[in-house]
Amino acid sequence: MNSTENSNLTPADRADSTLIREQNSEVLSADIFKTVIDQMPQNFLIINDRHQVIFGNRAVSQMLGMANERLLGQRPGEILSCINADKNMNGCGNCPSCNSCGALDAIVKGLRGKECLQECRIRLKDMTTLNLNVWTKPFIVNTRTYLIMILFNIENKKKREAMERIFFHDVMNTAGGILGYSRKLQDSIEEKKVSEYQDTINNLQNMIQKMLEQIREQKDLISAEKNEDKVFLHDEIHSRRLLEEVVHQYRNHDLAEKKLIYIRDRSESFSFISDHILIRRILDNMMLNALEASKENDTITLESLLTNESIRISISNPAYIFPEIREQIFQRAFSTKGKGRGQGTYGMKLISNRYLNGDITFVSSEDKGTCFTLILPYEPVGKISEEVDYCVTESEGPEDRSILVVDDNDANCEIIRYILDVQGYKSRSSRSALQAMEMMKSNNYCMVLMNMNMPEINGAEAFRMIRSNHEFDQIPVIAITGSREENGGLFTMDDTIHKPFNSEQVNRVIHKWMKRQ
């Protein structure tokens, strides 16, 4: 919403008490109307064109602890005790803070003839916060326009969402730290003893990686269903290399035993911009479904095509899906694999639609089998080198230049610095954005890796402060985040390292920005 869009759109003048009572009688002239509305559990108001309450049902009176008579003539912010309601002599809807009020936006759009639903966060006079969904719809009585306004308290919903974010953030940090330490341990064990522990280490890493994937998949699914996060499509992806990654991962999978996986010769090689992690998640689901549906000696094929400015990435298998199953394939809880399954195809469809601006389709016939296809818009990039050497040489920068890692999680800091150390990079770490700013004043850093979720000052605010200082405005700042949303929110950072990260992802991002310096 534009910051000036609603400025002073609440009329300064008000209807007098005589007109308010006349309007109240006019709207409630049918006795059955008031009886029905009073029985509604929702908080129901009727607003006139001066944004004044001319009726509130029993639920509103009970919520606010005041009789309907006391509501008449007041404005929503005034009856809710909004802290801004008294900041202007004209009352609710007339101070600068009201420009960002979701309730005011819903009222204005409603009186313009549009049904509207807005989220509203109101700071109250007792310094608590009220979270509401505000629904408005206009109606006309005797040529006068009125507005139905229903208030839904979403405080518990917001608390649950906050707890979800905290849970996902903390558990992914912990699991990612365990995975990183296991890799560090593996590198530290003497070569002659590695074989003794290799199976145990591999099993541990595989279990942690699977757990991280499941946590990430559930988090993305919840966010996509709520239509919350935005995804910053910034990864440079090479189609052929993408398919080779999938083949390499699943060729030795337990489900792939006595089955053949290959890439069609006619597959096209091209580079495009999208989100590598989400595309891999979709292709992993496609591949697992294809392997589970296939029998011994069956062949699963992968293919990438560029058609009519769109990308088509397909995975096919010989199995046939019966019509009664095809009709339900993308439904939330449907599964042919048993109770508790069925989010795979549903999640693929949801993530491709909501996050990647694409779609998932499939065809199935008895003679040709089944083919699932991910369709994406084509955004070309320059040629990507097939081979990338991430290792740094001593000549790539001055001795005193190093990478600053800013993260309040000690395990994340240690693992990232270990990855950098293995590749020959020098690094230092800071546990807070404020400390990092002080360190940047006295050191010559060539890059900053910044966690987004930190106490005191978060990554987005720290990035704004860095960019406002002309001494640092050319230093690449890379977001470290467990969210799929655009990195850095309002102030988008130069690039992103997604949690749970691995050495390949960190090295790819670091090397890309080192080459540009």
Side-chain angles (χ1 to χ4, degrees), residues 441-460:
K441 293 176 183 177
S442 56
N443 293 273
N444 184 21
Y445 295 107
C446 61
M447 192 179 307
V448 177
L449 308 185
M450 179 80 69
N451 184 23
M452 293 304 302
N453 191 355
M454 292 187 294
E456 297 180 355
I457 295 178
N458 62 27

Side-chain angles (χ1 to χ4, degrees), residues 345-361:
T345 53
Y346 169 78
M348 286 169 12
K349 185 85 166 176
L350 194 63
I351 288 171
S352 63
N353 291 165
R354 293 271 175 88
Y355 287 160
L356 302 177
N357 303 317
D359 197 12
I360 300 283
T361 64

Side-chain angles (χ1 to χ4, degrees), residues 307-469:
T307 308
N308 296 328
E309 299 184 349
S310 67
I311 297 164
R312 303 178 70 89
I313 303 174
S314 302
I315 297 182
S316 305
N317 70 87
Y320 171 59
I321 301 177
F322 291 97
E324 60 271 21
I325 296 176
R326 291 202 300 267
E327 294 298 321
Q328 305 176 73
I329 207 76
F330 292 121
Q331 292 184 18
R332 176 89 161 73
F334 174 75
S335 175
T336 60
K337 303 171 187 176
K339 189 175 181 180
R341 304 288 297 277
Q343 292 189 2
T345 53
Y346 169 78
M348 286 169 12
K349 185 85 166 176
L350 194 63
I351 288 171
S352 63
N353 291 165
R354 293 271 175 88
Y355 287 160
L356 302 177
N357 303 317
D359 197 12
I360 300 283
T361 64
F362 74 97
V363 292
S364 187
S365 64
E366 293 186 70
D367 57 333
K368 295 182 179 180
T370 299
C371 176
F372 276 83
T373 301
L374 169 63
I375 303 172
L376 299 170
Y378 178 51
E379 293 188 40
V381 295
K383 181 177 176 57
I384 299 176
S385 172
E386 293 293 333
E387 299 295 332
V388 178
D389 180 10
Y390 295 122
C391 196
V392 176
T393 64
E394 290 296 324
S395 62
E396 286 197 15
E399 281 292 325
D400 61 345
R401 301 189 81 198
S402 61
I403 296 171
L404 178 60
V405 182
V406 188
D407 197 323
D408 61 315
N409 184 284
D410 291 335
N412 283 344
C413 268
E414 185 174 345
I415 298 306
I416 290 180
R417 292 191 66 189
Y418 173 74
I419 292 170
L420 297 175
D421 182 64
V422 168
Q423 294 298 322
Y425 296 106
K426 296 181 179 181
S427 68
R428 295 188 68 189
S429 63
S430 168
R431 299 190 79 255
S432 76
L434 289 176
Q435 182 188 39
M437 295 293 292
E438 290 301 314
M439 292 172 66
M440 291 179 71
K441 293 176 183 177
S442 56
N443 293 273
N444 184 21
Y445 295 107
C446 61
M447 192 179 307
V448 177
L449 308 185
M450 179 80 69
N451 184 23
M452 293 304 302
N453 191 355
M454 292 187 294
E456 297 180 355
I457 295 178
N458 62 27
E461 179 63 15
F463 179 65
R464 185 193 67 78
M465 294 169 63
I466 291 171
R467 282 293 177 262
S468 66
N469 189 322

